[in-house]
Amino acid sequence: MNHGGERPGAGRPVNEPTAQRRIPIGILSQVENVIAQYKGQLPKDTMFLDVRTKLSLPLATERVQAGFPSPAAPYLSDYIDLNEYLVKNPASTILVRATGLSMINIGIEPGDLLLIDRSVEAHHRDVVLADYDGDFTLKRLIRTLKGIELHPENPDFPILRPKSSSTIQLVGVLMSSIKKFK
């Protein structure tokens, strides 16, 4: 038998740089699925999360009134690791920065960071990141008898109803929105 050696058409193109990555076996299939599905076509402002480090912040025992003040003084009870709290599946979670005002009525404003999980199955009324005719958009997924629609959360914006010539791909489901006030 002839094993190994040079074979026509095998291997990577000549002079193409390579990189090695260590991927935990438990998430290898997910990583391979992401690579196969997107082939580098994620939104330009996508940020991948590195959740190897912990950021534990103290958690007060009392909840904070957003209306009338509470006379109870808050006491610390525990610590929360924001990575564990916000990210359920690190290998499939990305951050995307919001632009535009189409989702303003649910509190998503330009500059907010949107935590998108690409492994979560999108259901009716979920807020999703979608590739609609080559453009990325964040909208509420509405399933109808005619198919799916992408609804804004601002009446000044149109509902996206795909036509027969349209292409739509659901990228992921919005899990959290991170807003900075200062």
Side-chain angles (χ1 to χ4, degrees):
M1 296 192 112
N2 185 8
H3 293 285
E6 188 174 329
R7 295 177 311 280
R12 64 182 172 86
V14 178
N15 297 327
E16 182 179 331
T18 63
Q20 292 181 343
R21 300 286 186 257
R22 295 177 65 95
I23 301 171
I25 296 295
I27 63 168
L28 183 58
S29 64
Q30 293 169 322
V31 171
E32 288 171 343
N33 288 340
V34 168
I35 291 169
Q37 183 177 2
Y38 295 104
K39 296 184 181 153
Q41 300 301 311
L42 288 172
K44 293 180 183 119
D45 55 358
T46 297
M47 293 174 258
F48 287 90
L49 299 178
D50 181 358
V51 294
R52 292 178 292 184
T53 60
K54 286 187 167 241
L55 172 59
S56 294
L57 299 175
L59 174 66
T61 56
E62 297 294 322
R63 295 181 184 250
V64 176
Q65 286 287 337
F68 294 105
S70 170
Y75 294 94
L76 301 182
S77 69
D78 200 359
Y79 283 81
I80 288 184
D81 179 352
L82 291 180
N83 292 321
E84 290 177 18
Y85 181 73
L86 294 174
V87 180
K88 303 302 179 215
N89 193 345
S92 64
T93 302
I94 58 174
L95 285 171
V96 178
R97 196 169 298 280
T99 62
L101 299 172
S102 70
M103 300 303 280
I104 195 87
N105 289 352
I106 59 168
I108 296 174
E109 300 176 333
D112 290 352
L113 285 175
L114 308 174
L115 196 92
I116 308 289
D117 191 329
R118 296 171 293 166
S119 69
V120 173
E121 182 180 347
H123 296 286
H124 177 68
R125 304 224 24 95
D126 281 347
V127 176
V128 298
L129 176 64
D131 180 346
Y132 183 80
D133 286 340
D135 291 321
F136 290 98
T137 187
L138 187 81
K139 299 287 184 279
R140 186 168 304 278
L141 176 68
I142 301 297
R143 295 187 188 273
T144 69
L145 294 175
K146 294 181 180 180
I148 64 170
E149 298 177 348
L150 299 174
H151 286 226
E153 292 289 341
N154 181 341
D156 296 337
F157 288 80
I159 294 171
L160 300 177
R161 292 182 174 98
K163 298 172 180 45
S164 60
S165 61
S166 296
T167 59
I168 186 167
Q169 181 175 7
L170 300 180
V171 176
V173 176
L174 176 68
M175 303 305 286
S176 298
S177 174
I178 303 168
K179 179 183 299 295
K180 284 182 79 171
F181 289 95
K182 275 194 166 192

